[in-house]
Amino acid sequence: MADLMGFSLNSLRFSCSCPNSSLLSSFSSCLNSTHTSNQRLHKRGVSLCDSPSTSVEFVSRIAFSPNKRFPALKVQATITRTEEPKWWERNAGPNMIDIHSTQEFLDALSQAGERLVIVEFYGTWCASCKALFPKLCRTAKEHPGIMFLKVNFDANKSMCKALNVKVLPYFHFYRGADGQLESFSCSLAKFQKIKDAIQLHNTDRCSIGPPVGVGDLTLELLSVKKAST
């Protein structure tokens, strides 16, 4: 360690004692030797710069410098998952309407005028209702002039009990001043009953008088029944 320190000090004293011309010539020869070694390294495929820091800086400039021909673009993708509607939430078109209350039911019958109205009473848990529903949707598409009302039994139990709905799926047929035409239960195997009823009641006619609706079914009657139970 002492020898190394002495060598360094002697070299320093020697460099300081040399005149300027000697320093320049010595520095020039050092540069030439460095350049020659770099050329040899370049022929071997080594970096032109033998200094590690300079080599890292050179590589970093190549790797991270922006490309003018192909500018960097930031792309942000948003993926949203949308759940498919439940089978009873699917509607065939504007002539198929979900009923959520007795008032909506009465209003729909009143606004239907002379159109034939088919009311389906269903349960979300009812396997027969689920099996029949796709065919009912196709029927609604085939008859855009008929209004189809969907009533969820569990969400409208008071109204369904007032209308004597005891079996699911169950259907009511209404038309204008004629009021309720008929009612029956139906399954997929007996779907022809619905087609026959449509053919029977969906004929051209002119009724005199306002729509009858559902007879004695009113909000007041339902409220009284609900209070008594």
Side-chain angles (χ1 to χ4, degrees):
M1 183 71 175
D3 294 339
L4 291 175
M5 290 179 64
F7 175 76
S8 300
L9 290 173
N10 291 333
S11 300
L12 182 59
R13 292 194 193 99
F14 175 76
S15 299
C16 293
S17 61
C18 292
N20 293 335
S21 60
S22 300
L23 282 175
L24 290 175
S25 60
S26 176
F27 182 69
S28 176
S29 63
C30 290
L31 286 177
N32 291 331
S33 63
T34 302
H35 178 68
T36 304
S37 62
N38 279 338
Q39 287 181 342
R40 293 174 183 172
L41 291 174
H42 178 62
K43 290 180 180 180
R44 296 179 185 176
V46 187
S47 175
L48 294 176
C49 301
D50 55 354
S51 173
S53 60
T54 307
S55 177
V56 172
E57 181 182 358
F58 175 73
V59 174
S60 64
R61 285 202 303 270
I62 294 177
F64 301 104
S65 59
N67 195 329
K68 294 182 179 179
R69 294 178 59 189
F70 303 100
L73 297 177
K74 290 184 178 180
V75 179
Q76 184 176 0
T78 303
I79 300 176
T80 56
R81 291 185 177 180
T82 55
E83 295 184 358
E84 292 186 359
K86 306 294 189 299
W87 67 264
W88 63 87
E89 296 174 344
R90 299 172 184 173
N91 289 331
N95 62 327
M96 184 171 276
I97 302 171
D98 289 283
I99 299 299
H100 305 94
S101 65
T102 303
Q103 186 62 61
E104 287 185 11
F105 182 62
L106 296 174
D107 291 343
L109 291 177
S110 177
Q111 295 169 7
E114 289 300 313
R115 298 173 65 184
L116 179 63
V117 179
I118 301 176
V119 185
E120 180 206 16
F121 300 91
Y122 70 94
T124 59
W125 41 266
C126 175
S128 297
C129 301
K130 182 178 180 180
L132 178 142
F133 187 68
K135 200 163 186 177
L136 185 66
C137 289
R138 288 195 294 270
T139 304
K141 289 181 179 179
E142 293 170 358
H143 299 85
I146 299 177
M147 181 180 293
F148 290 79
L149 305 181
K150 295 160 52 187
V151 179
N152 187 336
F153 178 84
D154 294 322
N156 301 275
K157 286 185 178 181
S158 298
M159 180 175 66
C160 292
K161 288 180 180 179
L163 294 172
N164 280 330
V165 177
K166 299 178 180 179
V167 182
L168 298 178
Y170 202 77
F171 291 87
H172 281 192
F173 285 72
Y174 298 90
R175 185 160 186 179
D178 295 333
Q180 182 175 334
L181 304 173
E182 64 176 309
S183 61
F184 52 82
S185 62
C186 184
S187 62
L188 180 60
K190 299 179 180 180
F191 195 83
Q192 187 61 39
K193 291 174 64 176
I194 296 177
K195 291 184 176 181
D196 294 341
I198 290 175
Q199 186 176 2
L200 176 63
H201 302 300
N202 194 34
T203 56
D204 294 335
R205 67 181 73 178
C206 293
S207 299
I208 300 175
V212 173
V214 289
D216 295 333
L217 179 62
T218 60
L219 292 174
E220 290 79 8
L221 179 61
L222 287 177
S223 62
V224 171
K225 286 187 176 183
K226 187 175 181 181
S228 60
T229 56

